[in-house]
Amino acid sequence: EITQFTNLVLIIAIVLALITKEVYSSLLIGIIFGALLSTSFNFVGAIDTLVNQGFIAAVSDTAGIFIFLVLLGIVVALVNKCGGSYAFGQWAKKHVKSKTGIMFATFALGCLIFIDDYFNCLTVGSVMRPVADAKKVSRAKLAYIIDATAAPICMIAPISSWAAAVSGYAPDGQGIALFCKAIPYNFYSLLTFVFIIG
């Protein structure tokens, strides 16, 4: 019976996402419908199921990471609202004159935005694409530089979403210390920087 409910909820969420082109609201409606199904449409029971078996169960073991990611989202929104990334793009348009300079500026901005790899890709891409287009830098090369500085820089930065996630698997109080000790052995990230600079 649970499998049938699961399949029905998945179908509803997917169909809604295809119709509305809005993933988050479709998933939310699917989750609410699933909670109502599991409690035989008892509204109070559905809320209890959503809170206790859904939200609390999902974040109970990783509450620290969850709080960190919420704070990260606040920082990301603040940076976007303040226009820091946009200002860097405007500065690059005025001061960087060559293709090599554009690629170096992209690399530098990618290294500065180390908090989260997804935020890095979105921000650096949106800021540097018009600048790179103006200087005739190929989008494939720009995409490679952005991708090569997003995850690798986040994977070796002690203050990042990656560090918070990885350190959550270590014993209490030792996660960040172990993460920092492992940085010299993160050959993927370190060699990626070598290949970009080379």
Side-chain angles (χ1 to χ4, degrees):
E1 187 179 356
I2 292 175
T3 306
Q4 291 176 346
F5 285 162
T6 304
N7 291 337
L8 181 61
V9 169
L10 287 173
I11 290 169
I12 288 171
I14 291 169
V15 168
L16 281 173
L18 291 172
I19 291 171
T20 63
K21 306 284 192 283
E22 179 59 48
V23 177
Y24 294 124
S25 59
S26 301
L27 286 174
L28 179 62
I29 291 169
I31 290 168
I32 292 170
F33 188 73
L36 287 169
L37 275 176
S38 69
T39 59
S40 300
F41 291 91
N42 180 342
F43 184 73
V44 175
I47 292 174
D48 182 60
T49 300
L50 282 173
V51 172
N52 290 320
Q53 296 179 20
F55 181 74
I56 292 175
V59 301
S60 60
D61 294 333
T62 57
I65 296 171
F66 180 76
I67 292 168
F68 176 82
L69 292 175
V70 169
L71 293 173
L72 174 64
I74 293 169
V75 170
V76 168
L78 183 64
V79 168
N80 283 333
K81 289 288 184 186
C82 291
S85 301
Y86 175 79
F88 182 88
Q90 294 303 309
W91 176 87
K93 274 185 180 178
K94 291 178 182 176
H95 295 90
V96 181
K97 305 297 182 186
S98 65
K99 288 184 179 182
T100 305
I102 292 294
M103 290 186 283
F104 180 76
T106 304
F107 175 76
L109 184 60
C111 289
L112 288 173
I113 302 176
F114 56 83
I115 298 173
D116 182 68
D117 48 345
Y118 297 119
F119 172 61
N120 182 307
C121 287
L122 292 171
T123 305
V124 178
S126 61
V127 168
M128 295 307 296
R129 186 179 60 193
V131 181
D133 287 347
K135 300 294 181 184
K136 304 288 192 253
V137 175
S138 74
R139 288 200 174 174
K141 187 175 286 188
L142 180 70
Y144 171 73
I145 295 171
I146 292 169
D147 181 63
T149 53
I153 194 70
C154 188
M155 288 166 63
I156 61 172
I159 304 171
S160 66
S161 59
W162 191 275
V166 171
S167 63
Y169 294 104
D172 290 342
Q174 299 180 22
I176 295 296
L178 289 172
F179 181 85
C180 292
K181 288 178 183 176
I183 290 173
Y185 302 102
N186 193 333
F187 297 119
Y188 167 73
S189 297
L190 299 174
L191 289 174
T192 299
F193 294 135
V194 172
F195 294 146
I196 293 173
I197 295 167

